[in-house]
Amino acid sequence: MTQTETTSRARVAVLFCVVTAGLVGALIGIALTATAPVPGVAQVSEAVSVSIPIVRVLLDISAVATIGLALLSVLVGYDRPKLSEPIMRIARPANVAAALVWATTAVVALILQTAEYRPGSSTLSISDVGSYIADVGAGKALLIVAVLALLHAGLGILALKHGEKVPAEVRVGLGLFALLPLPVTGHASNWNYHDYTMISMELHVMSAVAWTGGLGAMTVLLIGNRTLLAHALPRFSKLATLCLILGAATGLFNGLIEISLNPSLGFWEGVFTTPYGQLVLLKLLCTSVIAGLGAYTRWKLMPRIIRHNRTALAAWATLELTVMGLAFGFAVVLTRAPVVPTT
C-alpha cells in the first residue's frame, strides 16, 4: 500500500469517527429527551423530530471542517510556501466543499424546523418556509448561516485561484461570525442573565469549533509532514488551551444558570433528574476526557514531535476528535432540551 493510500484511508477514518460519534451523541440525547405524546395535541412526526438533530450535527461538523481548514493556513504560516503549498492545494478545495455542505445543511435544517413549527400540516410550501423565517428567530438565524456559508465558499473559490492573496484570517473571521446567529436562538430564556448567557453561548460555540476544527485539520492534513506539524502543533496548543478554558467555563456557566434559575426545580434535582441536566453532565464528562487527551498530547507527544520523532499522534488525535464529536451530538440536543423532567 502506498503512502498516499494510507494517508487517504486515515483521513476517511478520522471523518468517519467524528461523524459517527456526533450522530451517536445526538441519538443518545434524543433518547434521553423523548416524551410521551399528549392526547389532543398535534404531534410532530418522528421522522422530523429525529432528522432535525441529525442534520444539525452534520451542520456543526461541516462548520468545524470549514473553519478548521481555513485556520490551517494560519497554523502552518506563510514563510515556507514550498512545504505548505502542497498541503494547501488539498485544504482549499476541501474548504469550499465543507462550506457548501454547511450551507446545504442549514437550508435542510430550515425546512425541517418549518415542518416542526407546523405539526398539523402534511405538506410544506415556500410561503410556509418564508413565514417561519419571518416569525421565528431560528428561521432567520438558519437563513443567515446559509448565506454566510455560501459567502465563505465564494471566498474559498477565490483562494483556489489566488492562494493566500485571499487572507486566511478573513475566511476564519467570516466562519466564526457565521457561528453567531444560531446560539442566540437556543436556551438563555432567563432574562435576568440574558445578555451574559448570550455572550457566553457565542464564546462557547466559537471556542469549541476553533479547537475541534484546528485539531481536525492538522490530524487529517499534517500528520505525514513532520516539519509542518512541528511548526503548527505548538501554535495550535496555545489556541487549544485558551479554547479549553473558555469552552469549559462558558459551558458550565450556561448549564448551571439554566438549571438554577428554573423555579420548578431544586438545583440538584435539575442536574440529576432532568434530561437537560444529564446532558450537561455528559458534556462535562466529554470535556474532562478531551482535556486529559489534550494534556497527554501537549506534555508527552509534542516535545517528540518538535524533534521530528515518530509518535502515535494520529491515534490520540482521532480519539480526541471522536470524543469531541460525541460532545457536539450532546450539544445539539441540549440546545433544544427543556429544563424540566420528562413525563
Side-chain angles (χ1 to χ4, degrees):
M1 184 182 298
T2 66
Q3 177 66 32
T4 301
E5 290 173 330
T6 302
T7 303
S8 178
R9 289 191 177 188
R11 291 169 183 165
V12 172
V14 171
L15 182 60
F16 175 80
C17 288
V18 174
V19 172
T20 301
L23 295 177
V24 168
L27 292 174
I28 291 172
I30 291 169
L32 284 175
T33 57
T35 57
V38 179
V41 177
Q43 299 296 313
V44 179
S45 74
E46 290 186 4
V48 171
S49 297
V50 173
S51 295
I52 289 174
I54 288 174
V55 171
R56 287 291 295 269
V57 166
L58 297 177
L59 184 153
D60 287 349
I61 291 174
S62 59
V64 165
T66 302
I67 294 169
L69 289 164
L71 184 62
L72 189 64
S73 288
V74 180
L75 294 174
V76 301
Y78 310 107
D79 54 343
R80 289 182 265 188
K82 288 185 179 180
L83 274 176
S84 60
E85 193 55 29
I87 297 295
M88 297 316 301
R89 279 198 291 267
I90 300 172
R92 290 185 193 115
N95 178 253
V96 173
L100 291 174
V101 173
W102 189 4
T104 301
T105 51
V107 172
V108 174
L110 175 59
I111 294 170
L112 288 170
Q113 289 183 205
T114 302
E116 182 185 46
Y117 187 64
R118 300 172 61 85
S121 177
S122 59
T123 60
L124 287 179
S125 65
I126 294 176
S127 63
D128 292 330
V129 177
S131 297
Y132 181 72
I133 293 170
D135 297 339
V136 182
K140 296 180 180 69
L142 285 166
L143 179 62
I144 293 170
V145 169
V147 170
L148 292 176
L150 284 175
L151 181 57
H152 196 291
L155 287 178
I157 291 171
L158 289 176
L160 288 176
K161 297 180 178 179
H162 304 290
E164 297 309 318
K165 291 180 181 178
V166 182
E169 291 84 355
V170 173
R171 286 176 279 141
V172 172
L174 177 61
L176 292 175
F177 183 71
L179 297 175
L180 300 182
L182 281 176
V184 300
T185 64
H187 279 288
S189 56
N190 263 297
W191 288 99
N192 291 335
Y193 292 89
H194 184 268
D195 292 341
Y196 300 109
T197 49
M198 287 297 95
I199 295 170
S200 179
M201 282 183 179
E202 291 174 343
L203 290 174
H204 181 74
V205 170
M206 287 192 292
S207 61
V209 169
W211 180 11
T212 309
L215 179 62
M218 287 196 308
T219 303
V220 169
L221 293 174
L222 296 188
I223 288 297
N225 191 317
R226 295 185 191 180
T227 301
L228 286 180
L229 186 61
H231 177 74
L233 186 59
R235 302 177 76 175
F236 173 74
S237 181
K238 296 175 183 177
L239 173 65
T241 301
L242 175 62
C243 288
L244 170 61
I245 295 170
L246 194 60
T250 53
L252 195 59
F253 173 77
N254 295 338
L256 295 183
I257 284 292
E258 288 294 326
I259 293 170
S260 63
L261 295 185
N262 190 299
S264 64
L265 294 171
F267 176 76
W268 295 112
E269 180 187 5
V271 171
F272 291 106
T273 68
T274 68
Y276 186 90
Q278 291 160 2
L279 286 169
V280 169
L281 291 175
L282 286 172
K283 273 196 70 183
L284 185 61
L285 176 61
C286 287
T287 302
S288 301
V289 173
I290 292 165
L293 293 170
Y296 181 84
T297 300
R298 171 65 180 85
W299 300 111
K300 295 294 185 180
L301 299 183
M302 195 166 75
R304 297 175 59 193
I305 290 168
I306 292 173
R307 296 193 298 269
H308 294 196
N309 293 341
R310 184 185 294 274
T311 67
L313 177 64
W316 285 97
T318 299
L319 179 57
E320 187 173 344
L321 287 165
T322 300
V323 181
M324 287 174 168
L326 195 62
F328 271 90
F330 294 145
V332 162
V333 181
L334 187 63
T335 61
R336 295 164 51 81
V339 195
V340 292
T342 56
T343 57

